[in-house]
Amino acid sequence: MIIVLLGPPGVGKGTQARHLAERFGVEPVATGDMIRAEVAGNTHLGQEARSYIDSGNLVPDDVILRMVGERMKNGTSGGFLLDGFPRTLAQAEGLERMLLEYGQQLVGVVSLVVPEESVVERLSSRRVCPVCGRVYNLATQPPRTPGRCDDHAGSELILRSDDAPDTVRHRFSVYNAQTRPLVDWYRSKGLLSEVDGLGSVDDVLGRVEAVLRA
Ligand code: AP5
């Protein structure tokens, strides 16, 4: 079972993925988190990807497809929730090949929709734990102790390097040019559900769960 979460930067994909993976018994695969782990580990892939991620551009398709392919090859009994992948038509076609190869089925593509101005506001107050990647929001989902992760008390929350306002605007234009076409592509395949991403995290979760269980 494979579920895809689509949507522009900051729309809430990572936040929802954490809850949905638990509810549906699938494993979250977030390509952004995977790349940031490579950058933090200063691996060869991380060195290659750093400039793309910091500037808000997409990491080349072949790098991403290799990374996700490795993850899917190792398999899991429940399936995967893909957060931030695919992001280009070439990646979507690559995913189709992987589904055939590993005998998995794409059961739904959820596209979260939030107006751009709300997303820019969300990202300016997003903070993340550099140890576990848990996402907070100073306005709507603050940590219990200011500036510290609830799960790793010693870890100071940080602002992501690509959350600077100019980079956020660029990430939006990249989304519109390269990823938004996938909305129509998946719609034409009868797999797409568009879900309003405004409201509380629980409200949005309820909407997403409803379309995936329909
Ligand atoms: P990635 O990490 O995937 O970033 P993104 O897609 O831009 O999405 P974000 O992580 O910024 O936001 P989100 O939608 O997960 O929102 P979140 O839940 O955090 O990718 C980063 C980079 O990696 C890319 O730019 C690219 O360089 C590279 N990359 C990754 N995948 C790639 C691929 N497939 N191909 C090529 N390159 C790739 O929420 C945001 C904030 O809002 C948080 O503070 C949260 O607490 C808050 N929030 C969430 N929900 C709500 C709500 N309902 N109400 C109020 N606040 C909320």
Side-chain angles (χ1 to χ4, degrees):
M1 176 186 188
I2 305 279
I3 300 165
V4 167
L5 271 185
L6 272 183
V11 75
K13 301 182 295 297
T15 303
Q16 293 300 325
R18 199 165 151 247
H19 298 290
L20 288 167
E22 227 170 73
R23 296 207 177 181
F24 285 86
V26 292
E27 200 170 304
V29 172
T31 43
D33 289 347
M34 290 165 88
I35 299 164
R36 279 186 289 277
E38 298 281 346
V39 171
N42 202 26
T43 63
H44 180 69
L45 192 157
Q47 288 170 8
E48 200 183 332
R50 182 190 291 273
S51 64
Y52 293 100
I53 205 164
D54 282 350
S55 60
N57 288 308
L58 295 185
V59 174
D61 290 331
D62 59 326
V63 175
I64 296 290
L65 285 166
R66 226 180 309 133
M67 205 173 68
V68 177
E70 279 299 312
R71 188 64 205 82
M72 283 184 66
K73 189 165 75 183
N74 292 329
T76 175
S77 52
F80 295 102
L81 177 74
L82 302 178
D83 159 12
F85 172 86
R87 256 170 152 105
T88 62
L89 193 53
Q91 291 181 19
E93 287 168 348
L95 174 60
E96 293 209 319
R97 290 192 295 276
M98 286 180 218
L99 296 175
L100 280 176
E101 192 173 344
Y102 304 126
Q104 297 269 7
Q105 196 193 351
L106 182 52
V107 294
V109 177
V110 174
S111 172
L112 291 173
V113 183
V114 169
E116 185 169 334
E117 56 283 8
S118 308
V119 161
V120 173
E121 199 180 310
R122 281 183 183 182
L123 288 181
S124 67
S125 46
R126 170 165 67 183
R127 296 293 183 275
V128 293
C129 171
V131 175
C132 64
R134 185 163 167 187
V135 174
Y136 296 87
N137 191 283
L138 300 182
T140 56
Q141 293 138 65
R144 284 194 295 269
T145 306
R148 301 275 162 188
C149 178
D150 291 352
D151 301 328
H152 298 92
S155 165
E156 199 168 328
L157 301 180
I158 55 163
L159 182 70
R160 258 170 53 176
S161 60
D162 58 347
D163 277 349
D166 283 353
T167 315
V168 168
R169 273 187 284 278
H170 181 64
R171 284 161 61 202
F172 249 93
S173 64
V174 169
Y175 172 81
N176 284 329
Q178 301 190 55
T179 308
R180 194 184 284 282
L182 293 184
V183 170
D184 286 335
W185 198 72
Y186 281 123
R187 186 183 288 116
S188 73
K189 291 175 179 286
L191 286 166
L192 187 86
S193 303
E194 285 189 286
V195 172
D196 179 6
L198 281 179
S200 72
V201 171
D202 282 346
D203 286 345
V204 179
L205 183 61
R207 286 178 214 136
V208 175
E209 206 177 343
V211 301
L212 286 173
R213 295 202 190 276

